[in-house]
Amino acid sequence: MPAPLAATVPAAQLSLSEVMRELIARHPDALIVSTCGFTSRELFNAADRPGNFYLVGSMGMSAPVALGLALARPERTVIALDGDGSLLMNLSVLPLVAASGTELLHVVVDNGMHESTGGQSTVQRSDFVALALAAGYRAAARVETSEELRAVELPVGPTLLHALTGPRADGPGRRVTHSPQEIVERVRAAAGRPAS
């Protein structure tokens, strides 16, 4: 059992880009649904590809949209790339994901703030591992360092990875240039036909 979160908030050693690179390296063919703001910008700038569903203006919806994809395409790896503020906006999704029986990987990148809207602090640093397990996720883990991120192994989902990160060190990156309609069409083509 990890130590209580409040007692372990480190001077962040992980960055959003590092988490993104690890996810893409481990799951190069995954369908990734990224929350709005800097998270979608980071994914777009790191690895724009048809399987990325950028939620350019839908805070709190990455896990519900990813859940829909995972239910429609159970043969595909689906990742919900969430932020701490985004998940706090829609905690009711946790029991839905847990009850789905999908293999969804829910990644929460937690910098303790609403960085995309000016850096306001979230209400408090939340223990998303405990929340996910209480909701019925099969497994959940928290990582705070590069070494922990590289070493973490999660069983088939639904699972949650809570990555404690710091604020961005550089600018937010270019905005997603695809229209919402283009994003939907790209993901639809990348997802392929459902398994029969």
Side-chain angles (χ1 to χ4, degrees), residues 96-113:
L96 290 173
V97 170
S100 71
T102 63
E103 297 182 9
L104 180 69
L105 173 57
H106 192 174
V107 178
V108 182
V109 181
D110 180 358
N111 62 5
M113 66 177 72

Side-chain angles (χ1 to χ4, degrees), residues 33-36 53 55 57-67 80-82 86-87 89-90 93:
V33 180
S34 57
T35 191
C36 61
F53 197 126
L55 293 177
S58 302
M59 189 170 174
M61 295 306 294
S62 62
V65 171
L67 175 58
L81 185 56
D82 228 334
S86 180
L87 182 53
M89 183 174 244
N90 192 4
V93 74

